[in-house]
Amino acid sequence: MFLSGTVLCGNILIWPTEGSHWLNIKTIIDELIKRNHSVTVLISTGAAYINANDKSHSEKYEIYNVSYGKTKMLAIIDDFVKLWMYEKIFEETRKVMAKLLKQEEQICNGVVKNESLLKQLRENKFDVLVSDPMVPCGELIAELLGVPFVYSIRFSMGNSMERLCGGLPAPFSYVPGSMVELTDNMSFVERLKNFNFYIFQDILFHLLFAEQWDGYFSEALGRPTTLCEIMGKAEIWLIRTYWDFEYPRPFLPNFEFVGGLHCKPPKPLPEDMEKIVQSSGEPGIIVFSLGSMVKNLTDERSDVIASALSQLPQKVIWRYSGKRPATLGKNTILYDWIPQNDLLGHPKTKAFITHGGTNGIYEAIYHGVPMVGIPLFADQPDNIIHMKTKGMAVMLDINKMQSQELVDAVNTVINNPSYKENAVRISQIHHDQPVKPLDRAVFWIEFVMRHKGAKHLRPASHDLSWYQYHCLDVIGFLLICLFLILYIIIKIFSFCCRTCRPARRKQKKH
C-alpha cells in the first residue's frame, strides 16, 4: 500500500450504472467498506440489475421512486441489444436511444426533484460522490450537495466526454476514437475515417446528448451552465483499462488507469463442475460466455455455434440460458451461470470464447487465456480489435460466421503457440504494476476525501474557450501581423518604385 495518510470512516455516496458497470463499482464499494468507510448507493425503484434487497450487502441503499418498473427497463435494454446485434436500423435505434434518454431523465428527476431526499443527503454530509457518467446526474447531485466527485468510466462514444468535458488530449492521427474499430497504426484512409468519426461523434454528443442535459442542469442549479462544465469538475477519472489493453496515448494527471480491478485469483470450482473439467483429459476445456445481457440467440445462430463446438476435442462449458440447440454435442455442457473467473484461472482452460465485454477480457488477461471474440454490440467489437492487435485473439462476426470458421478460430488460438505466448506476455504486463488496480482506485477516492478534492491535478484547459485551447486567437493574431507586415512591405516597395521612375526618365533625357 502506498497511502500517505489514512481516512477513517469516510462517508461516500455512489451514483451507479447498471449491467457490467455495476460489477466494477460494487468491487470498489466492497473494498471501501473493508477500510471502514460508510457507503450509500442511490438506486431507483426501476433498477434492472442492482438488488437492494440482498441482505448480504454491507452498503446502504437509498431507494427513490421513478415512474417505470424493472420490467420496462429490462425490455428497453433488450430492444437496444437486439437492434444493435441483428438489425442496426438507424431510425429504430434512434427511437430506442430516445427511450433510454427519457428513462435517464426520470432517474435524475427521482433525486434532483425530490427535496426531502436532497435535504436528507445534505444532512448526511458526504465526503465524496463516486459516479459513472454513462448515466448523467451524479455530477449534478454532487454540485447540489457541494461535495467533490470521482468518475469511474470505461469510455464514452468517441471519447467525447473525456475529451470535450475532461480535457483529455486525443491527437486524431494516432489515437483511434473508441468504437471506430481502428488501431493506433493508421493508413491515410484510416486516419480520414478516424477524423470523420471524431467530428461526427462530437456533433452527436452536442446535439443528441449534451443539449438535452445543458438545459436540465441549468434549471436544476438555477444558473446558466452546461453538462460539460459540470463534468469538467470531476476530481479524478478512474479509467477501467490499462496499458495491457490500451494503445499508447497522452493522458492527464487526474486520469488514472484501474483496468481489471475486479480480477482476483481463482477459487475452487463447485464439485460437479470440477469433475467435468477433470474428465476433459489432455485436450482440456473451453469456456464460452456471451455475457449476462444476451440470454439467447436465434435458433439458426445457436445451431451454427453448437455444431462447431461439437467438433472440438475439448469439453466446452457454455453459459447459455436459451433454447437448447438441436446440434448440441455431448462435449458441450450448458449452464445458466458459471464462475467465469474461476474457470479462466483453471489450469485445464485452453481458450475463452467471449462476446468481448471489458470485464471478461480483463479476466482472460489476468489469467493469460487466449480468446475467440464474437462481439455483439457496444464496445465489444472495439475491445476484440484491441486484443486481436495484441496477438491474443481471433475475431468472428456473429451474424456471418459458419460452423467451420468457429472451429478453425478455436483451433488457431489453441494450437498456434503465439496466441498463448502473447496472452501470457500481456498477463505479465498486467500483473507487473507497483500498485494493484483496486488499491489504486480506492487510494484516489480516499485522496479526494483527505484533501477535499484534487484541484492541483486539474488542467488549465478547463478555463479556456475552444478557440483559446486550439490557439486560434494566437494564430489569428499572428496572421494579422503577417498580413500587416506584408502590406507595409508592399507599400514601401511601391513607394520606392514610384520615386525611382522620374529619376530614370531625367537620366534618359540627358
Side-chain angles (χ1 to χ4, degrees), residues 287-307:
V287 181
F288 182 16
S289 174
L290 296 179
S292 59
M293 296 184 73
V294 178
K295 303 298 182 184
N296 52 61
L297 300 168
T298 63
D299 290 347
E300 187 268 335
R301 285 293 88 192
S302 62
D303 285 343
V304 165
I305 291 171
S307 175

Side-chain angles (χ1 to χ4, degrees), residues 258-292:
V258 293
L261 61 84
H262 68 290
C263 297
K264 52 192 173 184
K267 295 182 293 187
L269 296 173
E271 188 177 343
D272 60 331
M273 190 174 284
E274 180 64 32
K275 286 181 180 179
I276 292 170
V277 172
Q278 292 300 331
S279 69
S280 65
E282 186 65 26
I285 67 164
I286 294 167
V287 181
F288 182 16
S289 174
L290 296 179
S292 59

